[in-house]
mmCIF file of all heavy atoms in Angstrom:
data_model
loop_
_atom_site.group_PDB
_atom_site.id
_atom_site.type_symbol
_atom_site.label_atom_id
_atom_site.label_comp_id
_atom_site.label_asym_id
_atom_site.label_seq_id
_atom_site.Cartn_x
_atom_site.Cartn_y
_atom_site.Cartn_z
ATOM 1 N N ARG A 81 89.793 93.283 58.589
ATOM 2 C CA ARG A 81 90.887 93.585 57.680
ATOM 3 C C ARG A 81 92.161 92.870 58.073
ATOM 4 O O ARG A 81 92.824 92.391 57.286
ATOM 5 C CB ARG A 81 90.990 95.131 57.540
ATOM 6 C CG ARG A 81 92.137 95.525 56.645
ATOM 7 C CD ARG A 81 92.370 97.104 56.463
ATOM 8 N NE ARG A 81 92.347 97.663 57.822
ATOM 9 C CZ ARG A 81 93.329 97.672 58.683
ATOM 10 N NH1 ARG A 81 94.422 97.061 58.412
ATOM 11 N NH2 ARG A 81 93.218 98.364 59.833
ATOM 12 N N ILE A 82 92.572 93.084 59.479
ATOM 13 C CA ILE A 82 93.833 92.458 59.879
ATOM 14 C C ILE A 82 93.653 90.881 59.743
ATOM 15 O O ILE A 82 94.614 90.316 59.331
ATOM 16 C CB ILE A 82 94.020 92.874 61.302
ATOM 17 C CG1 ILE A 82 94.295 94.326 61.367
ATOM 18 C CG2 ILE A 82 95.233 92.034 61.939
ATOM 19 C CD1 ILE A 82 94.287 95.002 62.748
ATOM 20 N N ALA A 83 92.510 90.411 60.111
ATOM 21 C CA ALA A 83 92.402 88.927 59.989
ATOM 22 C C ALA A 83 92.360 88.423 58.543
ATOM 23 O O ALA A 83 92.967 87.346 58.305
ATOM 24 C CB ALA A 83 91.062 88.544 60.772
ATOM 25 N N LYS A 84 91.810 89.114 57.724
ATOM 26 C CA LYS A 84 91.734 88.742 56.291
ATOM 27 C C LYS A 84 93.298 88.795 55.709
ATOM 28 O O LYS A 84 93.597 87.864 54.954
ATOM 29 C CB LYS A 84 90.851 89.561 55.440
ATOM 30 C CG LYS A 84 89.529 89.169 55.717
ATOM 31 C CD LYS A 84 88.517 90.179 54.864
ATOM 32 C CE LYS A 84 88.541 89.904 53.377
ATOM 33 N NZ LYS A 84 87.686 90.642 52.539
ATOM 34 N N GLN A 85 93.893 89.805 56.051
ATOM 35 C CA GLN A 85 95.329 89.858 55.539
ATOM 36 C C GLN A 85 96.194 88.686 56.041
ATOM 37 O O GLN A 85 96.993 88.095 55.393
ATOM 38 C CB GLN A 85 95.965 91.202 56.088
ATOM 39 C CG GLN A 85 97.343 91.351 55.654
ATOM 40 C CD GLN A 85 98.029 92.678 56.025
ATOM 41 O OE1 GLN A 85 97.285 93.569 56.393
ATOM 42 N NE2 GLN A 85 99.351 92.802 56.087
ATOM 43 N N ASN A 86 95.958 88.381 57.408
ATOM 44 C CA ASN A 86 96.641 87.236 57.955
ATOM 45 C C ASN A 86 96.281 85.991 57.198
ATOM 46 O O ASN A 86 97.150 85.151 56.937
ATOM 47 C CB ASN A 86 96.316 87.015 59.417
ATOM 48 C CG ASN A 86 97.154 86.098 60.081
ATOM 49 O OD1 ASN A 86 98.348 85.958 60.078
ATOM 50 N ND2 ASN A 86 96.504 85.211 60.929
ATOM 51 N N LEU A 87 95.040 85.785 56.952
ATOM 52 C CA LEU A 87 94.536 84.540 56.237
ATOM 53 C C LEU A 87 95.162 84.526 54.893
ATOM 54 O O LEU A 87 95.626 83.381 54.388
ATOM 55 C CB LEU A 87 93.076 84.525 56.121
ATOM 56 C CG LEU A 87 92.361 83.342 55.504
ATOM 57 C CD1 LEU A 87 92.803 82.130 56.267
ATOM 58 C CD2 LEU A 87 90.934 83.525 55.340
ATOM 59 N N GLU A 88 95.275 85.657 54.218
ATOM 60 C CA GLU A 88 95.977 85.645 52.867
ATOM 61 C C GLU A 88 97.430 85.213 52.927
ATOM 62 O O GLU A 88 97.892 84.457 52.191
ATOM 63 C CB GLU A 88 95.829 87.078 52.274
ATOM 64 C CG GLU A 88 94.484 87.398 51.802
ATOM 65 C CD GLU A 88 94.200 88.935 51.454
ATOM 66 O OE1 GLU A 88 95.216 89.639 51.337
ATOM 67 O OE2 GLU A 88 93.101 89.340 51.175
ATOM 68 N N GLU A 89 98.073 85.755 54.099
ATOM 69 C CA GLU A 89 99.402 85.368 54.250
ATOM 70 C C GLU A 89 99.589 83.823 54.541
ATOM 71 O O GLU A 89 100.572 83.129 54.161
ATOM 72 C CB GLU A 89 100.131 86.066 55.286
ATOM 73 C CG GLU A 89 100.334 87.554 54.947
ATOM 74 C CD GLU A 89 100.676 88.536 56.177
ATOM 75 O OE1 GLU A 89 100.916 87.977 57.106
ATOM 76 O OE2 GLU A 89 100.623 89.741 55.824
ATOM 77 N N ILE A 90 98.672 83.255 55.263
ATOM 78 C CA ILE A 90 98.674 81.837 55.571
ATOM 79 C C ILE A 90 98.461 81.040 54.317
ATOM 80 O O ILE A 90 99.175 80.083 54.064
ATOM 81 C CB ILE A 90 97.638 81.531 56.717
ATOM 82 C CG1 ILE A 90 97.937 82.024 58.127
ATOM 83 C CG2 ILE A 90 97.259 80.008 56.795
ATOM 84 C CD1 ILE A 90 96.824 82.024 59.037
ATOM 85 N N ASP A 91 97.399 81.456 53.538
ATOM 86 C CA ASP A 91 97.167 80.756 52.222
ATOM 87 C C ASP A 91 98.466 80.688 51.334
ATOM 88 O O ASP A 91 98.777 79.672 50.691
ATOM 89 C CB ASP A 91 96.046 81.396 51.359
ATOM 90 C CG ASP A 91 94.718 80.996 52.147
ATOM 91 O OD1 ASP A 91 94.523 80.118 52.912
ATOM 92 O OD2 ASP A 91 93.741 81.921 51.920
ATOM 93 N N ALA A 92 99.177 81.907 51.284
ATOM 94 C CA ALA A 92 100.429 81.977 50.445
ATOM 95 C C ALA A 92 101.448 81.018 50.951
ATOM 96 O O ALA A 92 102.131 80.357 50.182
ATOM 97 C CB ALA A 92 100.938 83.446 50.377
ATOM 98 N N LYS A 93 101.521 80.909 52.313
ATOM 99 C CA LYS A 93 102.442 79.967 52.907
ATOM 100 C C LYS A 93 102.104 78.540 52.537
ATOM 101 O O LYS A 93 102.963 77.741 52.291
ATOM 102 C CB LYS A 93 102.581 80.146 54.411
ATOM 103 C CG LYS A 93 103.253 81.397 54.834
ATOM 104 C CD LYS A 93 103.263 81.540 56.341
ATOM 105 C CE LYS A 93 103.836 82.882 56.767
ATOM 106 N NZ LYS A 93 103.650 83.116 58.263
ATOM 107 N N ILE A 94 100.760 78.246 52.626
ATOM 108 C CA ILE A 94 100.349 76.896 52.253
ATOM 109 C C ILE A 94 100.727 76.551 50.849
ATOM 110 O O ILE A 94 101.252 75.449 50.656
ATOM 111 C CB ILE A 94 98.909 76.760 52.594
ATOM 112 C CG1 ILE A 94 98.651 76.714 54.046
ATOM 113 C CG2 ILE A 94 98.331 75.501 51.870
ATOM 114 C CD1 ILE A 94 97.155 76.771 54.473
ATOM 115 N N GLU A 95 100.530 77.477 49.979
ATOM 116 C CA GLU A 95 100.862 77.296 48.480
ATOM 117 C C GLU A 95 102.271 77.054 48.285
ATOM 118 O O GLU A 95 102.717 76.116 47.617
ATOM 119 C CB GLU A 95 100.322 78.498 47.637
ATOM 120 C CG GLU A 95 98.796 78.534 47.481
ATOM 121 C CD GLU A 95 98.255 77.281 47.060
ATOM 122 O OE1 GLU A 95 98.685 76.657 46.106
ATOM 123 O OE2 GLU A 95 97.222 76.708 47.642
ATOM 124 N N GLY A 96 103.177 77.817 49.081
ATOM 125 C CA GLY A 96 104.534 77.532 49.071
ATOM 126 C C GLY A 96 104.946 76.256 49.519
ATOM 127 O O GLY A 96 105.827 75.539 48.984
ATOM 128 N N LEU A 97 104.341 75.776 50.649
ATOM 129 C CA LEU A 97 104.632 74.442 51.184
ATOM 130 C C LEU A 97 104.217 73.376 50.258
ATOM 131 O O LEU A 97 104.910 72.385 50.120
ATOM 132 C CB LEU A 97 104.028 74.290 52.540
ATOM 133 C CG LEU A 97 104.551 75.100 53.613
ATOM 134 C CD1 LEU A 97 103.664 75.008 54.905
ATOM 135 C CD2 LEU A 97 105.953 74.540 54.008
ATOM 136 N N LYS A 98 103.109 73.611 49.602
ATOM 137 C CA LYS A 98 102.547 72.531 48.648
ATOM 138 C C LYS A 98 103.583 72.502 47.494
ATOM 139 O O LYS A 98 103.927 71.350 46.977
ATOM 140 C CB LYS A 98 101.296 72.936 48.017
ATOM 141 C CG LYS A 98 100.132 72.699 49.047
ATOM 142 C CD LYS A 98 98.765 73.097 48.415
ATOM 143 C CE LYS A 98 97.626 72.928 49.258
ATOM 144 N NZ LYS A 98 96.314 73.327 48.627
ATOM 145 N N ALA A 99 104.138 73.559 47.005
ATOM 146 C CA ALA A 99 105.096 73.550 45.911
ATOM 147 C C ALA A 99 106.323 72.890 46.343
ATOM 148 O O ALA A 99 106.995 72.073 45.639
ATOM 149 C CB ALA A 99 105.458 74.896 45.426
ATOM 150 N N MET A 100 106.790 73.150 47.633
ATOM 151 C CA MET A 100 108.038 72.473 48.168
ATOM 152 C C MET A 100 107.843 71.014 48.196
ATOM 153 O O MET A 100 108.699 70.126 47.914
ATOM 154 C CB MET A 100 108.313 72.975 49.597
ATOM 155 C CG MET A 100 109.189 74.281 49.573
ATOM 156 S SD MET A 100 109.885 74.510 51.167
ATOM 157 C CE MET A 100 108.490 74.968 52.057
ATOM 158 N N ARG A 101 106.552 70.613 48.677
ATOM 159 C CA ARG A 101 106.300 69.197 48.788
ATOM 160 C C ARG A 101 106.390 68.569 47.521
ATOM 161 O O ARG A 101 106.873 67.375 47.292
ATOM 162 C CB ARG A 101 104.941 68.975 49.501
ATOM 163 C CG ARG A 101 104.606 67.581 49.797
ATOM 164 C CD ARG A 101 103.232 67.330 50.394
ATOM 165 N NE ARG A 101 103.133 66.010 50.849
ATOM 166 C CZ ARG A 101 103.164 64.824 50.208
ATOM 167 N NH1 ARG A 101 103.334 64.913 48.903
ATOM 168 N NH2 ARG A 101 103.060 63.607 50.651
ATOM 169 N N GLU A 102 105.704 69.080 46.528
ATOM 170 C CA GLU A 102 105.716 68.546 45.163
ATOM 171 C C GLU A 102 107.092 68.441 44.624
ATOM 172 O O GLU A 102 107.525 67.234 44.025
ATOM 173 C CB GLU A 102 104.845 69.479 44.263
ATOM 174 C CG GLU A 102 104.643 68.870 42.823
ATOM 175 C CD GLU A 102 103.747 69.662 42.051
ATOM 176 O OE1 GLU A 102 102.745 70.151 42.536
ATOM 177 O OE2 GLU A 102 104.079 69.934 40.789
ATOM 178 N N THR A 103 107.951 69.389 44.842
ATOM 179 C CA THR A 103 109.365 69.241 44.251
ATOM 180 C C THR A 103 110.009 68.148 45.007
ATOM 181 O O THR A 103 110.692 67.328 44.283
ATOM 182 C CB THR A 103 110.059 70.620 44.436
ATOM 183 O OG1 THR A 103 109.335 71.611 43.693
ATOM 184 C CG2 THR A 103 111.506 70.620 43.922
ATOM 185 N N LEU A 104 110.003 68.150 46.281
ATOM 186 C CA LEU A 104 110.756 67.158 47.061
ATOM 187 C C LEU A 104 110.197 65.740 46.691
ATOM 188 O O LEU A 104 111.040 64.858 46.632
ATOM 189 C CB LEU A 104 110.610 67.413 48.533
ATOM 190 C CG LEU A 104 111.472 66.629 49.463
ATOM 191 C CD1 LEU A 104 112.967 66.693 49.111
ATOM 192 C CD2 LEU A 104 111.365 67.033 50.853
ATOM 193 N N SER A 105 108.929 65.591 46.606
ATOM 194 C CA SER A 105 108.331 64.288 46.294
ATOM 195 C C SER A 105 108.875 63.823 45.006
ATOM 196 O O SER A 105 109.161 62.649 44.756
ATOM 197 C CB SER A 105 106.829 64.365 46.273
ATOM 198 O OG SER A 105 106.244 63.206 45.871
#
Side-chain angles (χ1 to χ4, degrees):
R81 179 184 43 78
I82 294 168
K84 283 180 70 175
Q85 180 181 343
N86 187 50
L87 183 59
E88 290 168 7
E89 291 170 7
I90 290 170
D91 287 340
K93 288 177 185 176
I94 289 170
E95 290 306 312
L97 287 170
K98 284 180 181 178
M100 275 195 288
R101 186 185 193 293
E102 186 177 312
T103 299
L104 188 54
S105 178

